[in-house]
Amino acid sequence: MTETPARDPYGAGKRRPDLLIWGAAIFLVLAAVFAAAPALRAGPATLAGLLLLGGVAGVAILGLVAIRASTAVTDPEPEGAEAFVEALSEPAALTAADGRVLAANAAWIQAVGDARRLPKGAAGAGLFAALVKARDGQRAEGTLLIAGQERRAEAARLRGGRLLVRLPTVVEKTVAVAAAAPSPTVAQSAPAPRTLDAFSGASPFGAALLEGLDPFNSRILEANPALAAMTGAVPAGTLFGALIDPPSRSEAEGRLAEGKAGPFEVRLARDPTRIAHLYLYRADGRLVAYLIDVSEQKQMELQLAQAQKMQAIGQLAGGVAHDFNNLLTAIQLRLDELLHRHPVGDPSYEGLNEIRQTGVRAADLVRKLLAFSRKQTVQREVLELGELISEFEVLLRRLLREDVKLITDYGRDLPQVRADKSQLETAVMNLAVNARDAVRAAKGGGVVRIRTARLTQDEAQSLGFPGAEGDQAFIEVSDDGPGIPPEVMGKIFDPFFTTKPVGEGTGLGLATVYGIVKQSDGWIHVHSRPGEGAAFRIFLPVFEATPAQQAAAAAALTVAETAKPRPPRDLSGAGRILFVEDEDAVRGVAARLLRARGYEVLEASDGEEALIIAEEHAGTIDLLISDVIMPGIDGPTLLKKARGYLGNAPVMFISGYAEAEFSDLLEGETGVTFLPKPIDIKTLAERVKQQLQAA
């Protein structure tokens, strides 16, 4: 067989001398001779000489063997392998494991060149990884950069340790493409899967192999265990669309038709309350569908959105209530002045009294807004949960009427809670009245149940309080009415939202309950399904009093009973009062009415003016009355700056906000009291006289 030019450049199968290796061999022999010279001079009769000669001989033999091994060429492949490489029409070469090219055909030389080694650097980086795998007996693929373009290369190990590297020819085919729009799932992958891979089969999320490209009308070929756990048993041949709740299926089909790429949010047919994200992977003629349960994530998102919405509405309601309280205060103070001029029997008295009653109703409305915004003034006390409901039960039975039956269920070992008694009673009453109206409107009567209990942390979490820590006091007000429609569930706590007919509700009942529970550091959860009634569940932290707190509470109760102040009958008095209020209508009327009762009143419209007046009258002011929220210097800041001018004079703050909103700003202050707006002149005069007498 004649040699072709493709083989001549490489001399495959021939031994090629290396001058460096042969030079090393000659130097090794000379070194052995020079090392043996002393032993030869000493003579072989000595033991040292014999040992030295033996060691030198051994080293020389080992060195020659190593040199021979390094110069040996791997046994050449049979001539058939070289002929096979030459016969291939595609570029091919025989290489050593270190990248030396031992033989190549003409196509290889034309494509790659006649270099003795495979390309190094960036050009051959993708190929050498394949050579490493091929050396271990694996069939591997890599890339070779030729003329700036990547070519796919295949490497395989032959007998004798050599490697066969081929560059398969790329065959372009003309394929008719349909004019239809591409599927919006994922780019097509070939070949079509015949079964789910090991990863999908063992994954914690649902996976199914579908026959067809329409996910909701394709049949399931195979499903993993996680999908069966989510949707129930999934036998082969089941329509994938049957696993999805019809309304959400229609929505997902619409998005898919519009070309949306997903994921698609769907609800499961087995339990429509469970929400999943659907991902689709398209292969030739088949789909792989992945379902990931995101129900808990969606629930947390809804709770967060609801909390943020309620906080924003609460801030708005609190601001409106504060400003409205100022207006109501001015109206009530002016009414007090007019009623003093037009007593009973005067023709104007009846009209003025009606205005007064309307103002009282408006003040009650503002209190509800403040309760919702958690800015209402509260007086917390330690309450026995069982006693609270049992005492309140008598009033509730009168409110619910004869056609509604009230059932109370008291649990064992009921805990104590620390809350405002009147507010908590208001919350339970609002829930009971709403339950009464629901059952009477639906079927003319029904059952309202109030249940109290002590819950463990796990029990509270299972009943709807995910953030429960420790034991919780539990109050549940439920009914057997029609339940709350799902479409209005997210709005029931919004102020002025109501499903009752016009004129039968203000829409502030549940909003007030929400604010009261939140202001008591509690949690409220609603459980309702259409046709099964509704249950409002209130969770309050359990109060565990220490022995020191118990002793202090008993002492405070004794002192309060023995020294309970009585309202003074005579509302006149004497003293210098610094009255600070940014609302002109409130300040002007209140100052005039206090002057009419004998007091000297110094008026200031803001904190800066009040500070100047306090400095001018240092040591002569008997009482400071100030609003809390004012432009510039607020009330607590004014007190700290003016305390040196006031001495030990008592201070009374008036505000539409809750005392807790600014109580932390008064740390270290004594002789400070609080009067919530709206106020009337009688209450103001009584508190002024009490403060001056106590001072």
Side-chain angles (χ1 to χ4, degrees):
M1 181 177 181
T2 60
E3 292 183 352
T4 65
R7 294 180 58 196
D8 290 341
Y10 305 101
K14 297 180 180 180
R15 189 184 304 273
R16 298 185 300 275
D18 194 323
L19 295 180
L20 291 177
I21 294 178
W22 283 111
I26 293 172
F27 277 112
L28 177 62
V29 173
L30 291 176
V33 171
F34 291 150
L40 293 175
R41 285 198 302 269
T46 63
L47 178 60
L50 288 174
L51 293 175
L52 184 56
L53 286 172
V56 171
V59 171
I61 292 171
L62 289 175
L64 291 174
V65 170
I67 291 172
R68 177 178 177 83
S70 65
T71 58
V73 179
T74 307
D75 292 338
E77 291 290 335
E79 191 69 20
E82 297 179 8
F84 173 73
V85 172
E86 295 169 359
L88 290 175
S89 60
E90 59 191 10
L94 288 175
T95 70
D98 59 359
R100 288 182 291 116
V101 179
L102 305 177
N105 62 6
W108 176 277
I109 295 175
Q110 182 180 0
V112 182
D114 59 354
R116 290 179 176 270
R117 284 185 172 274
L118 293 174
K120 294 184 178 180
L127 179 58
F128 274 88
L131 294 181
V132 174
K133 294 183 180 179
R135 187 179 56 188
D136 297 334
Q138 305 178 27
R139 186 180 182 88
E141 293 186 2
T143 57
L144 191 62
L145 190 62
I146 301 175
Q149 296 184 350
E150 287 188 354
R151 288 285 300 274
R152 185 168 64 90
E154 296 181 357
R157 186 175 183 272
L158 303 178
R159 286 184 302 144
R162 293 185 178 183
L163 304 175
L164 174 63
V165 180
R166 299 184 302 111
L167 303 179
T169 303
V170 179
V171 180
E172 297 183 357
K173 298 181 180 179
T174 303
V175 181
V177 180
S183 174
T185 52
V186 180
Q188 184 170 347
S189 175
R194 291 187 297 246
T195 183
L196 291 176
D197 56 23
F199 173 77
S200 298
S203 63
F205 49 82
L209 179 62
L210 310 180
E211 181 65 48
L213 294 179
D214 184 357
F216 300 104
N217 295 310
S218 298
R219 298 194 176 275
I220 298 175
L221 299 178
E222 183 183 358
N224 68 349
L227 183 66
M230 291 172 58
T231 63
V234 186
T238 303
L239 279 177
F240 183 75
L243 307 180
I244 310 300
D245 189 47
S248 64
R249 170 181 171 177
S250 300
E251 183 179 351
E253 285 178 332
R255 291 190 58 198
L256 188 64
E258 294 173 0
K260 303 296 184 181
F264 306 102
E265 187 173 295
V266 297
R267 294 182 178 271
L268 304 181
R270 180 186 185 186
D271 184 2
T273 62
R274 308 298 294 179
I275 303 174
H277 280 174
L278 171 63
Y279 295 83
L280 299 174
Y281 172 78
R282 183 168 62 93
D284 284 342
R286 290 181 179 175
L287 282 173
V288 180
Y290 299 98
L291 276 178
I292 301 178
D293 192 339
V294 295
S295 301
E296 294 184 2
Q297 174 186 341
K298 298 297 292 185
Q299 183 66 21
M300 293 177 63
E301 291 177 357
L302 290 174
Q303 290 177 355
L304 178 60
Q306 178 73 3
Q308 291 176 338
K309 182 188 74 171
M310 301 303 284
Q311 181 180 5
I313 297 176
Q315 291 176 347
L316 174 63
V320 171
H322 175 264
D323 293 340
F324 196 40
N325 262 332
N326 283 333
L327 300 178
L328 283 177
T329 300
I331 293 173
Q332 289 187 354
L333 291 176
R334 179 67 71 177
L335 276 173
D336 289 336
E337 186 179 19
L338 292 175
L339 286 171
H340 182 71
R341 297 178 184 175
H342 304 276
V344 178
D346 190 282
S348 302
Y349 177 81
E350 184 176 353
L352 293 174
N353 192 50
E354 290 180 359
I355 296 175
R356 183 186 185 88
Q357 296 301 323
T358 304
V360 171
R361 291 175 57 191
D364 182 64
L365 182 65
V366 173
R367 277 193 295 270
K368 291 180 180 179
L369 283 175
L370 287 172
F372 167 74
S373 61
R374 287 167 270 172
K375 299 182 184 298
Q376 188 179 21
T377 304
V378 297
Q379 296 179 351
R380 294 193 181 187
E381 56 183 306
V382 179
L383 304 171
E384 293 284 347
L385 187 60
E387 293 181 3
L388 174 70
I389 301 300
S390 62
E391 292 175 0
F392 193 55
E393 183 180 353
V394 178
L395 175 61
L396 286 178
R397 292 190 182 277
R398 296 176 181 174
L399 289 174
L400 298 186
R401 302 181 183 179
E402 295 80 6
D403 53 356
V404 178
K405 183 179 181 182
L406 175 64
I407 300 177
T408 53
D409 181 6
Y410 298 97
R412 298 180 179 179
D413 190 24
L414 293 179
Q416 291 182 331
V417 295
R418 189 170 181 271
D420 187 295
K421 182 178 180 180
S422 61
Q423 281 196 349
L424 203 55
E425 289 177 346
T426 300
V428 176
M429 180 182 68
N430 286 349
L431 294 177
V433 170
N434 281 352
R436 176 202 68 186
D437 295 342
V439 296
R440 295 183 76 242
K443 50 185 180 180
V447 176
V448 174
R449 183 185 300 271
I450 299 178
R451 182 163 70 99
T452 58
R454 175 194 285 266
L455 302 180
T456 63
Q457 178 175 320
D458 293 338
E459 290 173 338
Q461 291 176 352
S462 65
L463 287 175
F465 187 8
E469 295 181 359
D471 288 358
Q472 299 290 321
F474 179 69
I475 305 174
E476 181 185 63
V477 180
S478 59
D479 61 71
D480 60 350
I484 302 175
E487 60 270 16
V488 303
M489 183 66 77
K491 305 176 183 179
I492 57 175
F493 291 117
D494 292 359
F496 306 110
F497 175 82
T498 180
T499 57
K500 297 179 181 179
V502 178
E504 293 189 12
T506 62
L508 282 173
L510 290 180
T512 303
V513 173
Y514 178 87
I516 290 173
V517 173
K518 288 296 183 180
Q519 199 167 20
S520 302
D521 301 326
W523 179 270
I524 185 168
H525 173 73
V526 185
H527 175 77
S528 177
R529 290 187 177 180
E532 299 180 8
F536 287 81
R537 298 166 179 171
I538 297 175
F539 303 86
L540 298 174
V542 173
F543 177 77
E544 301 287 353
T546 62
Q549 289 175 329
Q550 292 176 353
L557 181 62
T558 303
V559 172
E561 290 177 351
T562 56
K564 187 175 181 180
R566 294 182 179 180
R569 294 182 179 180
D570 183 12
L571 298 181
S572 61
R576 176 175 289 174
I577 301 173
L578 175 56
F579 199 103
V580 189
E581 169 63 60
D582 61 311
E583 189 70 33
D584 294 338
V586 175
R587 185 184 68 255
V589 177
R592 185 165 60 253
L593 293 177
L594 288 174
R595 291 191 186 102
R597 282 158 178 78
Y599 299 102
E600 178 185 355
V601 182
L602 305 175
E603 298 182 45
S605 60
D606 53 37
E608 288 83 354
E609 184 181 355
L611 196 58
I612 296 173
I613 295 175
E615 184 178 1
E616 293 175 352
H617 298 81
T620 63
I621 296 177
D622 300 310
L623 175 65
L624 170 65
I625 302 177
S626 173
D627 193 8
V628 175
I629 307 298
M630 294 183 296
I633 300 178
D634 58 14
T637 305
L638 169 63
L639 174 59
K640 292 183 181 297
K641 291 185 176 183
R643 176 52 82 182
Y645 309 126
L646 298 175
N648 296 324
V651 178
M652 181 191 305
F653 282 115
I654 56 176
S655 177
Y657 284 115
E659 184 178 2
E661 290 290 312
F662 60 91
S663 58
D664 56 334
L665 302 176
L666 301 175
E667 186 176 356
E669 295 290 343
T670 57
V672 179
T673 58
F674 177 76
L675 183 62
K677 292 181 180 179
I679 55 177
D680 56 63
I681 187 57
K682 180 180 180 181
T683 303
L684 178 61
E686 287 178 353
R687 293 290 296 273
V688 167
K689 191 161 187 177
Q690 288 175 359
Q691 294 298 312
L692 292 176
Q693 287 178 349

